[in-house]
């Protein structure tokens, strides 16, 4: 969905320029409208999706989790941080935590420059909402990621420590890039995701090493 938003923002910028809107303040107003669109899409994508599951599929509202990689990792963090009562657990894989540290060409087309539009970057970056974390969080990230740098995860970890959050864990993968290549890394990552959801979304079940999930007796 973010690809479509990119095109909409670029088209908006071209039209503003065509009409001679040189004043940067006018362009900033347009970018804030685009940012609101991004926020609305994020809300519809996960929060409204969870509400649908509860209403239409009779899913237990206290047992909903979310996970995703890259942009999906960003969505996962924002969901856990800004809608903490909606999701009990989430796994963010190689997530963007601060758009100011991401690919300049990509982000500047949507949010302008970090130096000139600080508000837009703060409103759209998970690290600034980390205090909202309530559910269990798993972060998985390759340490040689050249797309979303591992530094993004390190900065978020430091923020969670400063906020004295306890219900989170990080799984670093020393030889993996943005897209994992080793079978062992994929297996380890998804084993951790499964355990996260079993432990937090199915409290009456636990994973026994070598035996998969089993029903508790208590």
């Amino acid at each position: 969905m973010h690809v479509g938003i990119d095109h909409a923002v670029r088209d908006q910028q071209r039209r503003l320029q065509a009409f001679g809107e040189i004043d940067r303040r006018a362009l900033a107003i347009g970018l804030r409208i685009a940012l609101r669109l991004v926020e609305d899409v994020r809300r519809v994508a996960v929060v409204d999706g969870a509400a649908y599951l509860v209403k239409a599929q009779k899913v237990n509202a206290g047992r909903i989790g979310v996970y995703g990689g890259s942009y999906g990792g960003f969505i996962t963090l924002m969901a856990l941080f800004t809608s903490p009562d909606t999701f009990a657990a989430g796994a963010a894989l190689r997530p963007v935590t601060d758009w100011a540290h991401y690919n300049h060409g990509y982000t500047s087309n949507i949010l302008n420059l970090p130096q000139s539009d600080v508000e837009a970057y703060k409103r759209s970056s998970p690290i600034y909402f980390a205090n909202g974390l309530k559910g269990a969080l798993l972060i998985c990230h390759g340490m040689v990621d050249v797309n979303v740098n591992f530094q993004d995860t390190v900065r978020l970890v430091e923020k969670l420590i400063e906020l004295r959050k306890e219900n989170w864990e990080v799984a670093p993968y020393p030889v993996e890039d943005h897209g994992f290549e080793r079978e062992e890394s994929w297996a380890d990552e998804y084993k951790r995701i499964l355990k996260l959801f079993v432990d937090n979304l199915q409290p009456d079940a636990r994973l026994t090493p070598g035996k998969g999930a089993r029903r508790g007796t208590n």
Side-chain angles (χ1 to χ4, degrees), residues 15 21 34 42 66 88 90 95 108 120 149 152 159 173 180 191 202 204 207-208 216:
R15 291 188 181 187
E21 295 286 352
R42 183 194 313 130
V66 58
S108 62
N149 293 334
D152 254 37
K159 175 62 70 173
Y173 295 85
F180 287 8
K191 180 178 67 177
Q202 293 183 283
D204 53 346
L207 287 180
T208 301

Side-chain angles (χ1 to χ4, degrees), residues 162-183:
E162 292 173 359
L163 293 170
R164 300 181 183 274
K165 298 293 183 178
E166 299 179 352
N167 50 338
W168 57 272
E169 63 176 304
V170 176
Y173 295 85
V175 300
E176 295 292 0
D177 196 345
H178 194 62
F180 287 8
E181 295 185 356
R182 296 200 313 167
E183 178 183 338

Side-chain angles (χ1 to χ4, degrees), residues 65-157:
V66 58
Y67 89 98
S70 196
Y71 188 81
F74 153 74
I75 289 288
T76 297
L77 291 178
M78 290 300 281
L80 288 174
F81 295 168
T82 63
S83 298
D85 295 322
T86 302
F87 302 98
L93 321 178
R94 50 201 179 274
V96 173
T97 68
D98 188 343
W99 289 111
H101 292 254
Y102 191 59
N103 181 285
H104 170 74
Y106 176 83
T107 53
S108 62
N109 281 329
I110 302 175
L111 302 175
N112 209 345
L113 299 177
Q115 301 90 335
S116 58
D117 208 336
V118 176
E119 179 188 355
Y121 279 83
K122 285 187 175 181
R123 286 177 57 194
S124 60
S125 296
I127 195 169
Y128 295 103
F129 299 91
N131 193 46
L133 178 65
K134 290 183 180 180
L137 168 63
L138 168 67
I139 305 173
C140 299
H141 206 148
M143 295 181 68
V144 291
D145 191 333
V146 297
N147 185 350
V148 180
N149 293 334
F150 186 69
Q151 176 189 357
D152 254 37
T153 286
V154 172
R155 292 182 67 242
L156 178 58
V157 165

